[in-house]
Amino acid sequence: PSAWEMLARAARGTGALLLRGSTQASGRAPRRTSSGLPRNTVVLFVPQQEAWVVERMGRFHRILEPGLNILIPVLDRIRYVQSLKEIVINVPEQSAVTLDNVTLQIDGVLYLRIMDPYKASYGVEDPEYAVTQLAQTTMRSELGKLSLDKVFRERESLNASIVDAINQAADCWGIRCLRYEIKDIHVPPRVKESMQMQVEAERRKRATVLESEGTRESAINVAEGKKQAQILASEAEKAEQINQAAGEASAVLAKAKAKAEAIRILAAALTQHNGDAAASLTVAEQYVSAFSKLAKDSNTILLPSNPGDVTSMVAQAMGVYGALTKAPVPGAQDSVSSGSSRDVQGTDASLDEEFDRVKLS
């Protein structure tokens, strides 16, 4: 055949293929082989979030992007189809031994995503199975580092450790583990009973500690209250004593001032006319008052030789007063310096004379 005939046949074949591709895009799924992979129909429409790995003559050629793609029949073959969506994988239940030799039954859920379709296709035979086995072994390894109590308390850190370990191992597979969650942790019945008893003991201990702390706080508060009360009482007593002392001092000062004023007035009165007579009258009144109080306060009584002679007693008191208030004789200092014995004798003589004069009066 001529070249024009060959071009005509190729055009008719291409039209048929385009018609077939449009029919597939109208709602029917692309034809797939017995292995589940799409067939090469020259014109292919790749769905969103999928990556189709194409081999040409048995060797990797390219990865089809979502949308319209055209392949060469016979030479190109779709070898792998990878989903770029987030994949959820249930990790089967398995047994693991903790650091304190407790056997646990634990399972989980793994969330991952294919980041590199080429590595996921040619780096490992079955990516999901490989990641599942890696998650189980990593979980057993991480649980062996923790005790039973820490497994329940550090659940978040355990999940993070498993995710980090999976990402380090699955990087060459083009897979990224997004998160891992532990679903259920089954504890043996005896261990569960022991844990329940431990929880009850811990609660009783907590209640006892709280009760003792309450008693201690109550005793401290009572002692603090007593201490404050004693401090306030002592401060009140101190203030009372200070006020009482200040009052007594003021009273003594007032009495001293009054007495000084009275003495000053009395001295001024004695210097006036008839002051001696007034002093004699005052002495007589005090003598009579003192004599009337005898034998009232005590059983011991001292009586003068002539208690009935009031005049003689008054004259004697006035004589003593006059002798004490007599002005000193000039040259008395010389007599004092000449000898104390003569001064004493002179004073005694003057007193005897004064007493004789009082008696005569």
Side-chain angles (χ1 to χ4, degrees), residues 54-221:
V54 177
E55 293 181 353
R56 176 169 289 179
M57 293 183 294
R59 185 176 180 181
F60 172 76
H61 175 56
R62 66 189 179 98
I63 297 175
L64 301 182
E65 299 293 336
L68 176 63
N69 293 272
I70 298 176
L71 299 179
I72 299 176
V74 181
L75 299 181
D76 295 338
R77 178 187 176 190
I78 301 173
R79 187 69 178 83
Y80 299 100
V81 175
Q82 303 292 350
S83 175
L84 302 181
K85 300 177 182 178
E86 187 172 346
I87 303 172
V88 181
I89 301 176
N90 287 322
V91 179
E93 184 177 1
Q94 61 176 339
S95 61
V97 181
T98 61
L99 184 62
D100 48 357
N101 296 326
V102 178
T103 303
L104 301 178
Q105 298 293 329
I106 187 170
D107 56 358
V109 180
L110 186 64
Y111 300 86
L112 54 89
R113 177 177 291 172
I114 296 176
M115 308 302 294
D116 190 345
Y118 176 80
K119 291 182 178 180
S121 301
Y122 297 100
V124 63
E125 180 66 26
D126 191 347
E128 294 184 3
Y129 178 76
V131 171
T132 302
Q133 296 299 316
L134 181 60
Q136 289 182 337
T137 55
T138 305
M139 189 192 314
R140 283 195 294 266
S141 176
E142 294 295 331
L143 285 176
K145 300 176 183 179
L146 301 175
S147 60
L148 181 61
D149 295 334
K150 289 186 177 181
V151 169
F152 293 99
R153 289 200 302 264
E154 301 181 3
R155 199 163 178 170
E156 295 295 332
S157 61
L158 180 61
N159 293 337
S161 300
I162 294 175
V163 170
D164 293 339
I166 292 175
N167 285 331
Q168 291 178 5
D171 183 55
C172 60
W173 300 340
I175 299 174
R176 180 175 181 81
C177 180
L178 301 179
R179 58 189 177 275
Y180 178 84
E181 297 293 339
I182 296 176
K183 289 200 302 184
D184 297 320
I185 299 177
H186 300 284
V187 184
R190 292 186 179 180
V191 177
K192 188 180 294 185
E193 293 176 1
S194 301
M195 293 174 62
Q196 187 67 26
M197 294 174 62
Q198 182 180 358
V199 170
E200 294 178 358
E202 187 68 24
R203 289 177 180 175
R204 288 195 297 268
K205 174 185 175 182
R206 228 180 269 172
T208 305
V209 170
L210 292 176
E211 184 178 0
S212 64
E213 289 181 354
T215 305
R216 185 186 67 178
E217 292 293 334
S218 176
I220 290 174
N221 292 335

Side-chain angles (χ1 to χ4, degrees), residues 288-303:
V288 172
S289 177
F291 191 79
S292 65
K293 293 180 181 180
L294 292 175
K296 288 185 177 180
D297 298 334
S298 176
N299 294 329
T300 303
I301 302 174
L302 297 176
L303 295 175

Side-chain angles (χ1 to χ4, degrees), residues 244-262 264:
Q244 184 178 0
E248 292 178 356
S250 299
V252 171
L253 183 61
K255 288 180 181 179
K257 290 181 179 180
K259 190 173 182 179
E261 187 67 23
R264 189 180 300 108

